[in-house]
Amino acid sequence: MIYYACSYVPLEILFASGLSFMKIERADYSEDPLVHRNLCGYCKATFEAVKDMNSDDLFIAVDSCDAMRRINDLAQSYSKAQILQLRLPWKRDDASRIFYRNQLEGLVDMLSLVRGKTITIRELKEGIKSFNDLKKHLWSLHNKGIAYTEIQKAIDLANSGQKYQPLDKKVAKNGPRLAVAGGLMKDEEFLKMVGSIGAEIVFNETCAGMRGFTGESFPTADPIDEIATRLIQRRIPCGRFIDGSDTSILRKIFQSLKVDGVLRLNQKFCDFFDDYPLPEELPSLSLEIDYPLASLGQLSTRIGAFVERIKKGISRVSVSKTAGRYFIGVDSGSTTTNLVITNDKGEILLWKIAPTGINGSATASKLLKEAQREMNFSDDDIAYCVATGYGRSIVDFANETITEITCHARGAKRFFPEAKCIIDIGGQDSKAIRLDEKGNVVDFSMNDKCAAGTGRFLEVMARVLEKDLDAMADAAEKARKNLSISSMCTVFAESEVVSLIGKGESIDDISAGLFRSISKRIAAMYKRVKGEPPVVFTGGVARNSGIVKALQEELGINFLIPDVPDIVGAYGAAIMAMEKVIR
Ligand code: SF4
């Protein structure tokens, strides 16, 4: 069998050889001590697949990035398969095209050797035609509006030279139409998750999707040169090309498929797609992802907020004229659950906060029951309820869920109409959110999966110092030294703090150092979204004077802080509930 792992291996030539071929699509791997930890999951999984190959297999490797080059080097020593490495240029000029043409000639020679017969010019021209047929088939599915999950099945089979006639399932009319672009993605769970938050993936530009099926090639007198020209100069370039910033092909595709927004994906440990060029007029969201995919919860909050941002206008719901007079917002966070009840003017009538505990759904219901008892109202008095926060989907009595990013924006703007930016430090994640004058989210940045820069980080550090958070803030006031805690990771920071204690550093200085450390992390998010004052500080952590002082110093601004900063998200949810209802 002929195996390959990169879309710069031309299917035209594989077709011409008449040999069976297959793209490596493995998703699982075990951490092999031969492979450096800091390589992307796709490289690790590819190495796993190459190790399992037999002596009559051929692996066509491409040095598409440093990580792949390392995997290819390892494969030479640890796989029984024959390895042919194609060297991919870094530029897209004529010299690069000619260079890659020579590489492809080597591929033709190798495949001729494997099959025991020279691949002829006529066969190469036939190969181009077969590839063009397959490409035409895939594009016709897009043009017919076939559901993307079906198209991906067709792409996967096309990568092994087979044609798939998908079910006649059409793209659901489900909110904004999104494209994914950048680093490799085709995970079904991901596609389903995007569907569940009210959007549809309609195009996959990544190299697991249609990127390799772009660019024209014709059966000319020099078919190898023609194939090299398609790959280097006509198709959508991969992120490795330093002069690959032409977005015109993508723009045309996105326009024809009526794409509303783009998710720019980047594999963890890969930096090719951080600035992957996309048509500027379309809103985009950059996401770092694992291979295989992990932390879907966090991804769903980010994508949910992005979808809410690009949705045109609020979709209103109609309730009967006699429907209740109360609007409820519930913020089910990892640390606390907060509930706010407003009237139809958006005035807060009651708020409640309780630790979320192990059963967030029961906690939310308990808060509602308590509120009903205190205010003496029944379920019929509730006009509409919006749940937000990490556990928003488990609030049984909510009519709708909206991400905490949108709800914090709405709540903060209501408290402080002059607000232009929000910093929210929650138990599990932290965010910087930039607003427009109406309180809509223009941009946001969130910490990644680890707890660095969150309330959890502070809690762990307070435990190490055997103090509570308020006592840590008091201690920081008395600091004399400018101690720096360089580890951002909670686990490493914990050992750093333990060793500082061991060296006799004072708790006062360490506390101040910790507040400065978290502030730097939050400040980086604030700068990423081009934040500007006035800034509202929300979330329970905003009650801690230590972090407020450190962060204000770091950013050189003073915050606006509501009396109860914990309830801003729940208040925003109640406001959204109120704005959604038409009587
Ligand atoms: S995801 Fe990045 S690091 Fe991994 S193979 Fe692709 S380009 Fe290389």
Side-chain angles (χ1 to χ4, degrees), residues 276-494:
Y276 189 58
L278 295 172
E280 278 161 15
E281 65 278 12
L282 275 179
S284 63
L285 173 70
S286 296
L287 296 165
E288 188 188 80
I289 52 166
D290 292 292
Y291 183 92
L293 211 57
S295 308
L296 270 178
Q298 264 236 357
L299 281 178
S300 111
T301 298
R302 289 171 196 225
I303 298 171
F306 178 65
V307 167
E308 285 157 9
R309 198 182 114 197
I310 59 178
K311 260 186 185 163
K312 291 147 193 133
I314 314 176
S315 52
R316 297 290 191 103
V317 289
S318 215
V319 301
S320 94
K321 290 213 172 14
T322 55
R325 53 219 152 110
Y326 297 135
F327 297 90
I328 299 189
V330 183
D331 183 355
S332 172
S334 59
T335 314
T336 63
T337 298
N338 314 320
L339 178 137
V340 168
I341 300 181
T342 70
N343 57 19
D344 59 6
K345 293 187 187 63
E347 292 160 350
I348 297 177
L349 305 175
L350 182 87
W351 54 266
K352 290 197 150 285
I353 300 177
T356 299
I358 50 164
N359 188 342
S361 171
T363 306
S365 300
K366 188 173 135 269
L367 285 184
L368 176 65
K369 290 271 166 300
E370 283 174 18
Q372 288 182 306
R373 256 198 318 275
E374 282 171 42
M375 288 174 63
N376 192 22
F377 68 90
S378 72
D379 291 351
D380 291 342
D381 293 312
I382 303 171
Y384 206 72
C385 172
V386 167
T388 189
Y390 181 71
R392 60 191 178 279
S393 57
I394 55 168
V395 179
D396 308 328
F397 54 89
N399 300 92
E400 189 174 338
T401 60
I402 295 179
T403 65
E404 54 270 39
I405 292 167
T406 303
C407 289
H408 271 269
R410 209 46 74 88
K413 193 77 182 172
R414 199 73 188 200
F415 278 122
F416 300 104
E418 67 274 37
K420 288 190 178 162
C421 192
I422 299 165
I423 286 176
D424 170 56
I425 304 186
Q428 183 142 302
D429 39 48
S430 306
K431 331 164 181 70
I433 307 167
R434 183 156 60 89
L435 309 173
D436 67 11
E437 57 298 335
K438 290 189 187 141
N440 298 315
V441 175
V442 177
D443 198 3
F444 66 90
S445 174
M446 220 169 142
N447 66 303
D448 45 35
K449 296 171 286 294
C450 78
T454 68
R456 181 90 191 109
F457 176 90
L458 281 176
E459 269 170 27
V460 172
M461 297 310 143
R463 207 187 54 220
V464 179
L465 297 178
E466 296 176 355
K467 286 197 174 290
D468 64 26
L469 285 176
D470 289 337
M472 241 177 98
D474 293 343
E477 283 289 334
K478 293 177 257 148
R480 289 163 171 243
K481 234 184 182 174
N482 209 351
L483 263 193
S484 106
I485 316 275
S486 51
S487 308
M488 285 292 185
C489 160
T490 312
V491 178
F492 291 138
E494 191 173 346

Side-chain angles (χ1 to χ4, degrees), residues 40 42-43 64-65 67-68 183-184 238 267 269-273:
C40 78
Y42 178 63
C43 281
S64 48
C65 59
M68 260 309 169
L184 193 106
C238 143
Q267 302 291 333
F269 299 126
C270 172
D271 23 69
F272 275 162
F273 297 99

